[in-house]
Amino acid sequence: MTDRKKVILPTLFKKVTDGEPITWLTCYDYPTAYLQEQAGIDMILVGDSLGMTMLGYDSTLPVTMEDMMRHTQAVRRGAPTAFLVGDMPYMSYQPSTETAVRNAGRFMAECGCDAIKLEGGVAMADRIKGIVDAGIPAIGHLGLTPQSVSALGGFRVQGKSAALAKKIVDDAKALEKAGAFAILLELVPDRLCKLITERAENCIIMSLGSGPDAHGQLLIYHDMFGLYPKFTPKMAKVFGNGGEVILNGLKQYAAEVTNKTFPQPENWFGMKDDEYDDLLKML
Ligand code: KIV
């Protein structure tokens, strides 16, 4: 493990004050969390995108609290000092503020989260307020909000017209007023992200595909390493082709087993002659 001190809210706000961008990635499992911890990533989001990246659904809607909690607990074991954010799945907060507070509390108490994230603006501000009033740090998510992908007309840039951009500005203000300490802007135009960042008073603005002028950046881990087979969105930079490396390894394994070059003596364990002879006598 690293000797990094636990990343806490003041650590994140200090980075903002110092003008140092915050790093944030999605993560869904123990070994990847371990690597992200080693790399010194500030924040980790166990996103409900795990429905697509890990479970193979076509959307995030089938993901349950139980799915989220199992993965979030594993990530916390791998990344003990990262600022860990649990993503509230579909219908874990929409029905009522009470439902929202109860499920947010489960992320904190049962998964070791430092904060939760939920999607929506003005309409979800009372959920954010309820969660924050319960002592739980909350992050809002605006722009392309995958749980509403059907209502938004697909995975596309949001807030391109002045009127729609104004709605996102108003949503951001409502979330900040409700007590969100951070807001994620996903797939909105760069100038809109910059404007919201400049106007934020005590709120960290994070960008996912929304340009460089936020307080930090989020990427989906699977998009960074070519690990999602269905598509790689334009906003993602591929930092290494992990999918190709793994595929080549798998093909080599299949070939070596088939042609009997794997395993080799260093891959197995022997037994002393006298023990083996005794075994034969016992049979
Ligand atoms: O679930 C997730 O990974 C997310 C990102 C798309 C921001 O919410």
Side-chain angles (χ1 to χ4, degrees):
M1 282 292 150
T2 62
D3 52 10
R4 171 171 79 164
K5 275 170 69 180
K6 175 88 187 68
V7 179
I8 53 177
L9 273 180
T11 325
L12 300 177
F13 278 100
K14 179 161 187 325
K15 283 198 134 190
V16 172
T17 309
D18 295 348
E20 202 184 320
I22 295 167
T23 54
W24 194 12
L25 288 178
T26 63
C27 181
Y28 319 100
D29 60 74
Y30 172 83
T32 310
Y34 182 85
L35 294 175
Q36 293 194 11
E37 174 91 11
Q38 302 301 304
I41 301 302
D42 297 312
M43 298 173 69
I44 290 180
L45 172 68
V46 184
D48 65 349
S49 51
L50 68 80
M52 300 168 78
T53 56
M54 301 295 286
L55 304 178
Y57 296 128
D58 285 334
S59 79
T60 59
L61 303 192
V63 176
T64 64
M65 272 302 287
E66 278 58 44
D67 293 330
M68 291 304 301
M69 292 182 60
R70 176 58 67 92
H71 285 269
T72 308
Q73 289 159 349
V75 169
R76 178 47 98 201
R77 288 191 281 273
T81 71
F83 190 92
L84 183 62
V85 182
D87 200 14
M88 300 197 64
Y90 188 54
M91 287 302 144
S92 70
Y93 58 96
Q94 287 94 339
S96 69
T97 300
E98 186 184 331
T99 314
V101 175
R102 280 194 194 289
N103 284 319
R106 295 192 72 193
F107 275 112
M108 304 300 282
E110 298 174 49
C111 306
C113 282
D114 298 296
I116 60 82
K117 173 176 89 56
L118 59 80
E119 299 180 8
V122 170
M124 289 297 133
D126 61 344
R127 312 303 197 271
I128 291 276
K129 181 169 180 340
I131 290 168
V132 172
D133 286 349
I136 300 171
I139 302 177
H141 179 170
L142 297 173
L144 175 61
T145 45
Q147 290 176 16
S148 312
V149 69
S150 179
L152 296 177
F155 290 92
R156 57 178 64 178
V157 179
Q158 301 295 310
K160 282 166 86 173
S161 71
L164 292 174
K166 163 83 167 52
K167 182 173 177 329
I168 296 176
V169 172
D170 292 345
D171 281 337
K173 267 291 150 225
L175 293 179
E176 183 172 358
K177 193 158 167 255
F181 80 88
I183 295 171
L184 170 67
L185 296 177
E186 177 173 353
L187 225 52
V188 305
D190 57 347
R191 295 163 98 181
L192 177 57
C193 178
K194 182 169 191 277
L195 188 133
I196 292 173
T197 305
E198 285 167 356
R199 290 177 176 216
E201 284 165 47
N202 194 25
C203 191
I204 298 172
I205 307 298
M206 299 294 292
S207 161
L208 171 56
S210 302
D213 297 309
H215 298 123
Q217 297 291 324
L218 169 66
L219 269 187
I220 309 279
Y221 176 80
H222 281 59
D223 295 339
M224 290 175 71
F225 291 107
L227 295 172
Y228 186 61
K230 292 189 180 162
F231 61 87
T232 304
K234 173 180 181 296
M235 65 190 176
K237 175 173 171 185
V238 179
F239 283 80
N241 203 331
E244 197 174 291
V245 170
I246 293 169
L247 181 59
N248 287 339
L250 292 170
K251 285 181 181 165
Q252 190 178 338
Y253 167 75
E256 288 189 18
V257 171
T258 306
N259 67 26
K260 301 187 180 170
T261 53
F262 177 85
Q264 290 293 316
E266 63 269 25
N267 307 120
W268 70 66
F269 301 89
M271 189 175 180
K272 288 189 177 141
D273 289 347
D274 53 345
E275 294 293 343
Y276 187 66
D277 290 344
D278 285 351
L279 169 65
L280 292 181
K281 279 184 217 149
M282 283 179 209
L283 298 175

